[in-house]
Amino acid sequence: MEVTQSTVSGAVAVTLNVNGKKRSLAIEPRVTLLDTLREHLGLTGSKKGCDHGQCGACTVLVDGQRVYSCLALAVMQEGKEIVTIEGLAKDDVLHPVQAAFIDNDGLQCGYCTPGQICATVALLDEVKQGSSSAITPNLEHPPQLAELSEAEIKERLSGNLCRCSAYNGIVAAVQQLVGQTPPSAAADVMVKEMPA
Amino acid sequence: MSKVMGAVNRKDGRAKVTGNATYAAEHQIPGLLHGYLVTASIGSGQIKSIDTSQAEKAKGVVAVFTHKNPPKIFKPSNNFISSKIYEARLPLSDAQVHYGGQIIGLVVADTFEQAKHAAHLVKVEYETQSPLTEFQKATFKEAPPFMGEELKFEKGNVATVNNAAVKIEATYTTTTELNAPMEPHAIIAQWQGADALTIYEPTQWVMGSQRTYAELFGLPAERVRIITPYLGGGFGSKAMPWPHGILCAAVARHLQRPVKVVLSRRQMTVNAGHRSETEQTIGLAAAADGKLMAIAHDVKSSTSPVDTFTEPCTRVTPVMYSAPNLRYAQELAIMNVGTPTFMRAPGENPGMWALESAMDELAWSLKLDPVELRLRNQTQEHQHQNLPFSAKHFTDCLKVGAERFGWKDRSRQVRSLLRDGQLVGWGMAGATFPALQGVATVKVRLLPDSTVHVLTAGNDMGTGAYTMVAGVAAETLGVSVEKVRVEMGDSQLPDGGMAGGSMMTASLAPAVIKACQDVLKSADCNDATDAWAALRQSGRAAFEATATSAPPEGEKKWAFQSWGAHFCEVTVDEEIGRLQITRWLSVMDIGRVMNAKTAASQVRGGVIMGIGQALMEECLLDPNIGYPVVYDLATYHFPSHADIPRIDVVFVGEPDLNFNLAGARGVGEIGITGVSAVIANAVYHATGKRIRSLPLTPEKLMADFRALTADETRDAQEMKELIASNKSHERVAGHSQNV
Ligand code: FES
Ligand code: FES
């Protein structure tokens, strides 16, 4: 068990379960889960885009649910299972969502990407559990994974902004993950060959 | 088909999807202090008094800096060659407040929370002047040249054209837009004693930043190291030091401790650049067959009191369409706003909004297909530089686009298409961006473990540069992309030029090709496999070569420019003012396409940022207090997943070998040009409403369309027809809703 010391007065002792490891540290109660991960635990994969719950870059999984970690205080997460982007791959093997993002070029600068991926992991689970979205036409019959429409995917991911606008690729990644055949990420190139 | 490597997955993809890509603020530095900025709460005036005593006493605070105790900074030459900063005024240089939100202090503490709290304990008294933030009230004067380029020109005499079949003149406006990269601007500055500095900061121009920080602190360039392997987007706003970065580095020297400063979203609104609002008047005169007789383009934009930046909209005027009489001019006003700067396709983006809207208006007036109007008027030469365009395939963009979109099946009437009770419209517009090339140096090393190592201080802010460099090296050496490792974004590597002006590919790719060829030559081998064998036999650590590429010297023979055409379909629900984009096609001529995946993503990214400009992006300032009323991502809207349709991308044309030996012209910015015009043109087709002010917000879409066109006497007859047809459609629409 790794212990991070803090000299900050007013700090309280907290033990968090992050990516299956117990991490004990002393932090002020006002420190967010996001800043705890990034500034105190060296887990900088979760990003700070706005610090206000407006962009989704900081999305992590807490007890399997997606949470904006910039809006959650670390001291309130004791006893919960926190999974960050660093906890998704198993050793060298990427999580299927991570692999699908690469295949479909669902990223450019990569800054929103950890949040988009964590949100997608949760989204797939939510659909499996039968949860509806704001645009699900019939609440009695929430969509199954295989029939998840493009509109449903976009609605369910609209809490995650991407200024590079890798949106097409992200939607395609989700389509691939639910067993659909998304359009290719590549452009149609009709440019003449280089001369030999 | 032109394929360097076809469609390749991003080299940096794995690092980014696993959270292992380290951005500036994330470097783990022992003993790091946290800085939080204090910013002005007035729009213009003077600081009368500033009381830092409470802040200094707050827990964890190490120091507080204001204009009363500014850290030492040297004035840089600021000339783009030896140094360049975004805002000429150095931070904390006096008590003057030039714009709301200006940096007036920095609090440094042990933790982020302590610094932020203490920043709010700084008490400031101001002498307030009334700020000028309203474009309409500003005083405009002739704009200075933009990076050495005159922003005024005339050939023929526009004023004397009086035998035109159709003349139109209209004014188009855009609002203040924010670059708003997802990664907030951030810096960690760490000194090694008094004369060596390491900076972790996202910068699109590694060596430019190195030279600039060196001048700011009176050091030789090699005493400054810039480390920036990953940038979370920049879009023009991360090429040079901003005041917060300069201040952070100065304070870190003063304290001899590493300091980190990250801008909050609120601070990013004014302290990290924006695109100025613009007002553009376009006059077009054409013969009955659509041939342009005159083009006039007059532009206004604004800058801050502390630096000059003109949004160079008129750069598109001499390149798009040919006219015997052509004139353009730009004016600039100083307002109490933060310093505007480069934002994706500076100039070309708003310029094409105005020009391509006006061309659509002209096409309707002439009752001519807007595709045909463009085909008839495209120019084979740059009318200001008097040079022919190299490898221009704008015709293919238009024709392939029209064909694939099904353009010939469009309705020729406004308000003539309905679907599910909503009006449907189609629009098209051209796209363009100049092809630029800089000087870039690349080192290639063949290693005995049968890998290749490519090193350069260029960088990749999401453009795909890592992958492009690897692909070009792989192709030239005859190995697979997996064998190539690319290292970028560190000033200790050879100067790789700037990731800006869409020029990184055109700068780097030829240098990579040359360095790879040289390394094979030095090994006396034809491909890497042989070279690796020879290397192992020789027992040497590596075969290596360094090569530089630069734009050709001597007399200019060509103008280099990329071209494109966008086509889109929109639906408009006039009752609630909802505009949705339902179909999109972009056809681009960018020379050779280096990677069909990342190039498509660049175009999509540009198009979507353009959709944001068209539909929602608007940074408003309170006219009385001069302070932005838009200050975060809940108030500054840009597109989310739900706003965006599938963007189909096609590339046409040929490798532009007059430009460089890679044949590539670059693709970062062209995608955004023309986008807002296509959408407004489609909205006109759908609704009959010619909206000339961006963004196309619901209240504009809900307005009675008669009010929006009533001032145009030129098509009074058409208006009557429209009103008649509108009535009939209202009935149809009402009917379908009742079903
Ligand atoms: S950083 Fe948490 S939502 Fe933006
Ligand atoms: S990839 Fe850059 S913000 Fe999404």
Side-chain angles (χ1 to χ4, degrees):
Chain A
M1 192 164 83
E2 196 179 319
V3 180
T4 311
Q5 293 297 340
S6 171
T7 52
V8 179
S9 61
V12 296
V14 188
T15 299
L16 299 177
N17 176 349
V18 187
N19 299 329
K21 277 194 205 132
K22 288 250 184 320
R23 307 288 297 263
S24 294
L25 69 163
I27 45 166
E28 289 182 291
R30 61 180 164 177
V31 182
T32 64
L33 175 57
L34 177 62
D35 286 328
T36 303
L37 294 168
R38 286 171 63 83
E39 304 295 340
H40 299 267
L41 296 177
L43 292 169
T44 56
S46 306
K47 304 303 180 199
K48 185 186 279 192
C50 69
D51 214 11
H52 279 47
Q54 299 164 343
C55 75
C58 63
T59 304
V60 300
L61 303 168
V62 177
D63 286 342
Q65 299 206 321
R66 42 175 154 171
V67 162
Y68 287 167
S69 62
C70 70
L71 292 188
L73 294 173
V75 290
M76 297 173 75
Q77 313 306 320
E78 282 201 309
K80 297 180 186 169
E81 230 174 83
I82 301 160
V83 175
T84 70
I85 190 73
E86 290 94 339
L88 288 180
K90 292 283 161 273
D91 300 320
D92 255 5
V93 182
L94 293 180
H95 187 284
V97 174
Q98 293 172 314
F101 267 62
I102 296 179
D103 279 351
N104 292 282
D105 212 32
L107 66 146
Q108 293 187 28
C109 78
Y111 201 78
C112 74
T113 310
Q116 304 270 6
I117 289 175
C118 288
T120 299
V121 171
L123 176 160
L124 296 172
D125 201 50
E126 289 157 17
V127 177
K128 266 188 230 153
Q129 310 290 328
S131 87
S132 305
S133 82
I135 63 156
T136 302
N138 182 350
L139 299 185
E140 306 282 298
H141 295 286
Q144 303 292 301
L145 274 180
E147 67 196 27
L148 203 60
S149 69
E150 193 182 318
E152 279 276 3
I153 296 168
K154 293 197 284 195
E155 172 66 26
R156 288 164 189 260
L157 281 178
S158 279
N160 289 79
L161 296 175
C162 175
R163 185 56 159 166
C164 299
S165 295
Y167 293 130
N168 278 188
I170 296 168
V171 171
V174 179
Q175 289 172 324
Q176 182 179 309
L177 287 160
V178 299
Q180 301 172 6
T181 309
S184 164
D188 190 351
V189 180
M190 298 169 63
V191 181
K192 278 197 205 106
E193 284 275 20
M194 285 286 276
Chain B
M1 302 283 273
S2 144
K3 281 187 182 159
V4 170
M5 39 181 169
V8 174
N9 287 344
R10 272 172 210 271
K11 278 297 248 190
D12 45 341
R14 196 181 175 95
K16 286 174 175 176
V17 301
T18 52
N20 289 324
T22 304
Y23 298 78
E26 299 168 354
H27 291 272
Q28 304 291 308
I29 311 290
L32 186 66
L33 296 173
H34 296 258
Y36 200 89
L37 297 167
V38 184
T39 55
S41 60
I42 61 161
S44 175
Q46 296 257 332
I47 298 168
K48 246 185 11 198
S49 71
I50 188 158
D51 174 6
T52 57
S53 56
Q54 252 189 302
E56 279 159 17
K57 274 185 245 138
K59 257 187 217 163
V61 170
V62 173
V64 181
F65 295 87
T66 71
H67 70 283
K68 299 276 197 196
N69 61 335
K72 174 87 186 132
I73 307 166
F74 293 87
K75 202 152 182 61
S77 52
N78 203 19
N79 58 6
F80 254 109
I81 297 155
S82 44
S83 66
K84 183 66 193 157
I85 53 178
Y86 274 116
E87 188 168 294
R89 177 185 182 269
L90 294 174
L92 312 187
S93 47
D94 53 36
Q96 196 70 30
V97 174
H98 299 277
Y99 53 85
Q102 178 190 307
I103 295 166
I104 56 169
L106 181 74
V107 175
V108 183
D110 288 328
T111 71
F112 168 71
E113 292 78 13
Q114 290 167 336
K116 184 175 180 181
H117 172 69
H120 292 104
L121 299 176
V122 175
K123 287 203 199 91
V124 190
E125 270 187 90
Y126 299 97
E127 188 129 342
T128 307
Q129 280 135 26
S130 72
L132 172 65
T133 55
E134 284 172 282
F135 205 68
Q136 300 312 326
K137 294 188 178 156
T139 309
F140 289 88
K141 294 197 182 124
E142 185 179 318
F146 179 83
M147 302 183 76
E149 201 178 317
E150 282 289 336
L151 295 175
K152 67 174 176 195
F153 175 71
E154 173 145 24
K155 70 166 189 172
N157 188 341
V158 170
T160 59
V161 175
N162 51 19
N163 54 344
V166 176
K167 273 190 183 184
I168 67 159
E169 186 181 278
T171 299
Y172 306 87
T173 62
T174 64
T175 56
T176 302
E177 294 168 77
L178 305 179
N179 303 59
M182 285 304 300
E183 177 205 25
H185 290 243
I187 178 169
I188 296 173
Q190 182 177 33
W191 286 82
Q192 293 82 39
D195 65 349
L197 168 64
T198 305
I199 298 259
Y200 304 85
E201 182 176 40
T203 172
Q204 299 173 231
W205 191 19
V206 179
M207 305 312 264
S209 289
Q210 182 199 40
R211 291 193 286 273
T212 303
Y213 277 110
E215 270 199 15
L216 286 162
F217 298 107
L219 300 173
E222 61 278 8
R223 302 300 292 166
V224 177
R225 181 171 177 195
I226 308 285
I227 298 178
T228 178
Y230 296 102
L231 286 80
F235 314 111
S237 72
K238 287 179 180 166
M240 285 131 13
W242 284 105
H244 71 272
I246 301 170
L247 184 55
C248 177
V251 160
R253 178 165 72 171
H254 185 95
L255 299 172
Q256 284 296 306
R257 297 273 307 272
V259 179
K260 166 152 91 176
V261 171
V262 182
L263 294 192
S264 69
R265 274 291 153 189
R266 181 184 285 267
Q267 291 160 355
M268 281 185 67
T269 308
V270 288
N271 292 304
H274 64 270
R275 193 200 300 279
S276 159
E277 59 192 298
T278 66
E279 184 187 293
Q280 303 176 66
T281 301
I282 301 255
L284 299 175
D289 65 356
K291 271 304 286 170
L292 282 168
M293 301 165 73
I295 303 172
H297 191 178
D298 291 284
V299 180
K300 289 176 179 170
S301 69
S302 64
T303 190
S304 77
V306 287
D307 209 322
T308 300
F309 184 91
T310 308
E311 183 72 19
C313 303
T314 53
R315 286 201 298 193
V316 300
T317 334
V319 306
M320 281 308 292
Y321 305 112
S322 146
N325 304 286
L326 187 146
R327 182 184 67 72
Y328 58 81
Q330 291 212 205
E331 291 185 326
L332 185 66
I334 294 170
M335 304 207 307
N336 295 110
V337 294
T339 302
T341 193
F342 307 93
M343 177 168 165
R344 208 168 199 166
E348 280 77 13
N349 167 316
M352 287 296 272
W353 145 248
L355 184 60
E356 291 297 279
S357 292
M359 284 295 278
D360 199 64
E361 297 202 43
L362 181 65
W364 282 97
S365 297
L366 288 161
K367 296 197 166 39
L368 200 66
D369 177 357
V371 171
E372 185 56 36
L373 180 67
R374 285 167 175 84
L375 285 169
R376 281 186 201 171
N377 284 294
Q378 62 169 316
T379 168
Q380 293 314 314
E381 67 155 28
H382 190 298
Q383 296 168 89
H384 190 161
Q385 296 172 2
N386 289 320
L387 293 168
F389 289 116
S390 169
K392 175 172 181 176
H393 294 275
F394 186 41
T395 303
D396 291 343
C397 297
L398 292 164
K399 288 193 169 163
V400 170
E403 167 76 31
R404 293 209 175 192
F405 197 78
W407 186 248
K408 68 173 173 7
D409 301 328
R410 78 196 184 283
S411 88
R412 318 278 158 126
Q413 274 290 323
V414 301
R415 301 186 75 83
S416 59
L417 290 172
L418 276 171
R419 192 193 301 145
D420 302 331
Q422 299 192 21
L423 291 161
V424 179
W426 288 10
M428 64 79 50
T432 195
F433 196 79
L436 307 172
Q437 184 182 354
V439 179
T441 304
V442 168
K443 181 192 270 188
V444 171
R445 306 184 77 219
L446 293 192
L447 301 173
D449 64 352
S450 294
T451 61
V452 182
H453 193 185
V454 187
L455 304 107
T456 178
N459 63 14
D460 185 334
M461 56 173 161
T463 55
Y466 277 114
T467 320
M468 181 278 294
V469 167
V472 173
E475 186 195 56
T476 315
L477 295 169
V479 302
S480 75
V481 179
E482 289 70 39
K483 294 271 181 203
V484 187
R485 188 161 63 87
V486 182
E487 206 176 319
M488 296 176 97
D490 184 334
S491 61
Q492 291 193 334
L493 306 175
D495 188 348
M498 186 199 276
S502 297
M503 67 172 133
M504 183 126 277
T505 298
S507 310
L508 278 183
V512 174
I513 294 172
K514 272 199 240 167
C516 289
Q517 288 168 344
D518 288 356
V519 89
L520 290 180
K521 232 183 279 167
S522 73
D524 203 18
C525 295
N526 286 327
D527 63 32
T529 314
D530 290 351
W532 281 322
L535 177 63
R536 281 188 289 264
Q537 211 149 46
S538 74
R540 285 168 57 181
F543 285 145
E544 63 176 54
T546 300
T548 298
S549 80
E553 287 180 8
E555 200 196 332
K556 287 206 168 121
K557 291 204 200 86
W558 301 100
F560 301 107
Q561 188 92 14
S562 287
W563 309 95
H566 303 288
F567 293 79
C568 86
E569 178 189 90
V570 302
T571 62
V572 180
D573 184 335
E574 286 186 306
E575 264 175 57
I576 57 169
R578 184 171 62 186
L579 164 56
Q580 279 186 311
I581 296 158
T582 46
R583 195 149 76 85
W584 194 283
L585 170 66
S586 298
V587 184
M588 297 283 147
D589 161 26
I590 59 161
R592 188 190 196 188
V593 175
M594 309 307 280
N595 181 352
K597 268 194 184 180
T598 50
S601 289
Q602 281 288 80
V603 173
R604 292 190 180 114
V607 167
I608 294 169
M609 196 180 265
I611 292 174
Q613 173 186 48
L615 267 56
M616 60 192 91
E617 294 187 31
E618 186 169 31
C619 177
L620 296 166
L621 298 156
D622 183 307
N624 298 312
I625 59 172
Y627 212 78
V629 296
V630 164
Y631 46 79
D632 58 18
L633 296 181
T635 50
Y636 188 77
H637 296 160
F638 59 73
S640 72
H641 276 282
D643 298 308
I644 297 306
R646 174 88 197 159
I647 312 286
D648 286 324
V649 181
V650 179
F651 290 107
V652 297
E654 64 180 317
D656 192 343
L657 294 167
N658 293 323
F659 187 43
N660 60 53
L661 70 125
R665 286 196 300 239
V667 64
E669 288 159 279
I670 187 168
I672 197 174
T673 67
V675 167
S676 41
V678 195
I679 297 169
N681 295 346
V683 165
Y684 178 76
H685 183 224
T687 66
K689 296 172 187 174
R690 179 58 69 181
I691 305 174
R692 301 192 183 93
S693 66
L694 292 179
L696 310 172
T697 41
E699 81 281 7
K700 295 175 195 169
L701 296 161
M702 285 162 78
D704 186 333
F705 83 98
R706 278 153 283 206
L708 277 156
T709 34
D711 59 333
E712 291 158 55
T713 45
R714 70 166 192 274
D715 44 20
Q717 182 52 37
E718 210 175 319
M719 281 297 304
K720 277 189 203 141
E721 289 165 21
L722 289 180
I723 291 164
S725 70
N726 180 51
K727 282 195 180 126
S728 67
H729 283 309
E730 272 168 3
R731 276 201 300 278
V732 178
H735 178 69
S736 73
Q737 276 164 357
N738 290 339
V739 178

